[in-house]
Amino acid sequence: MNLQKNRDEIFQAVAQATKEAHRSQESVNIIAVTKYVDSSITKDLIKTGIEHIGENRVDKFLEKYEALADQKLTWHLIGSLQRRKVKDIINYLDYFHALDSVKLAEEIQKRATKPIKCFLQVNISREESKHGLLVEEVHSAVQTIKEYEKIELVGIMTMAPFGADVAQLNDIFSKAHALQKELQQLGIPNMPFTELSMGMSGDYKEAIANGSTFVRIGTAFFK
Ligand SMILES: *Cc1c(COP(=O)(O)O)cnc(C)c1O
C-alpha cells in the first residue's frame, strides 16, 4: 500500500473532475475516510497531505481523535449517530454528515455547547436500507430545526445505491443538488445550505460533476 501514491492519484483525479465541471479547485474538499485503518496508518496518511478526516462510527472516531490530538485536522462524523451517543461525541465534531431526524436534532440541541455544522442526510434513491429523510419530509424538518441554534445546516448529504450506473448516479446527484439550491434560496439564518456531501471511491467523479463540495473517500486511499 503506497499511501503517497494513492493520495496523489486521488487528489489529481478530483482536480481533473473539478476542472471538467468548470468549477474552482477550492470548491471541492476531500475527506479521507479512515474507518478501514488504525491510528498509526492514519498518521502516515496525514503526512502525505490530508486536512479532513472522516469516520462513520462513534467509538472509532473517538479513538482516532484522541490518538491524533496533536494534528491540525478537520473532523467529520459521516455515519449515523444514535441519540444516546450524542453527548459522547458532538462537541468534538467539526462537521456531522448524517442528521436524519428531528429527534436527533433535538438531542444535539440539548447536548452541544456550540453550534455544530450539520448536513441533512436525504435518502434521494428511496432505498429501504438507507438512512435519511425522504425528500417530502425535508421541508417540515427544516422548519422545526431552524429553531435550534446549536444546529447550523450547511448542506445536504446523500449516498447513491451500491452498483448504480452512471445514469442513475447523475439522476440521484442532480436531484440532491437541486434540493440543496432550493433550500439555500430559502435564506434561513443559520441554515446556509451551501454544501453538498456526496461521492465515495466509486462515484466521486459523477458527484463532482453534479456540484459536490465534500467527497468522502475511503477505499481508494488504502488499496
Ligand atoms: C465508508 C464510507 C465512505 C467511503 O466509502 P469508500 O467506498 O470506501 O470510498 C463514505 N461515506 C460513508 C457514509 C461511509 O460509511
Side-chain angles (χ1 to χ4, degrees), residues 6-20:
N6 292 348
R7 183 266 179 212
D8 291 346
E9 280 174 8
I10 293 165
F11 275 62
Q12 269 166 29
V14 166
Q16 182 63 29
T18 306
K19 190 173 160 212
E20 280 166 17

Side-chain angles (χ1 to χ4, degrees), residues 10-218:
I10 293 165
F11 275 62
Q12 269 166 29
V14 166
Q16 182 63 29
T18 306
K19 190 173 160 212
E20 280 166 17
H22 307 288
R23 299 179 52 199
S24 73
Q25 292 299 321
E26 320 77 68
S27 66
V28 181
N29 301 282
I30 301 172
I31 302 173
V33 177
T34 51
K35 65 187 183 191
Y36 306 109
V37 297
D38 63 15
S39 299
S40 149
I41 294 178
T42 303
K43 270 186 193 165
D44 292 340
L45 179 69
I46 291 163
K47 287 193 202 120
T48 69
I50 294 291
E51 292 167 45
H52 296 274
I53 294 289
E55 283 284 330
N56 68 333
R57 292 178 49 121
V58 172
D59 51 348
K60 298 281 179 205
F61 179 101
L62 292 171
E63 193 185 304
K64 298 252 174 39
Y65 188 84
E66 214 168 288
L68 305 171
D70 56 337
Q71 312 269 340
K72 200 172 159 285
L73 295 165
T74 301
W75 288 89
H76 300 259
L77 183 68
I78 61 175
S80 57
L81 175 59
Q82 290 173 286
R83 270 183 287 157
R84 64 185 172 84
K85 292 192 176 167
V86 168
K87 61 180 184 312
D88 301 333
I89 194 169
I90 199 69
N91 291 304
Y92 302 115
L93 299 179
D94 293 305
Y95 289 88
F96 175 46
H97 291 245
L99 183 57
D100 60 2
S101 74
V102 168
K103 280 207 170 313
L104 180 58
E106 200 178 295
E107 182 65 15
I108 293 173
Q109 169 66 15
K110 201 159 103 192
R111 304 291 187 172
T113 56
K114 55 170 186 195
I116 308 293
K117 290 183 165 57
C118 296
F119 288 85
L120 213 52
Q121 183 173 356
V122 184
N123 185 358
I124 305 272
S125 62
R126 312 185 78 88
E127 279 178 287
E128 274 189 32
S129 60
K130 283 228 159 51
H131 288 269
L133 295 164
L134 295 173
V135 172
E136 61 271 24
E137 297 170 333
V138 166
H139 277 277
S140 118
V142 162
Q143 291 309 317
T144 307
I145 296 171
K146 76 177 182 192
E147 306 299 329
Y148 300 164
E149 79 278 5
K150 297 287 173 41
I151 294 181
E152 181 186 350
L153 282 183
V154 296
I156 293 288
M157 183 275 230
T158 202
M159 288 200 264
F162 184 74
D165 63 25
V166 171
Q168 286 170 309
L169 291 174
N170 282 324
D171 179 53
I172 288 162
F173 291 154
S174 65
K175 281 179 178 153
H177 194 192
L179 179 61
Q180 176 243 319
K181 290 276 166 216
E182 184 187 320
L183 293 165
Q184 184 180 10
Q185 274 161 18
L186 296 177
I188 302 172
N190 84 334
M191 295 197 168
F193 277 113
T194 47
E195 310 301 324
L196 255 186
S197 169
M198 59 191 196
M200 320 200 328
S201 293
D203 57 17
Y204 64 87
K205 289 173 190 161
E206 290 80 7
I208 291 169
N210 286 287
S212 175
T213 64
F214 284 90
V215 290
R216 310 177 310 268
I217 300 180

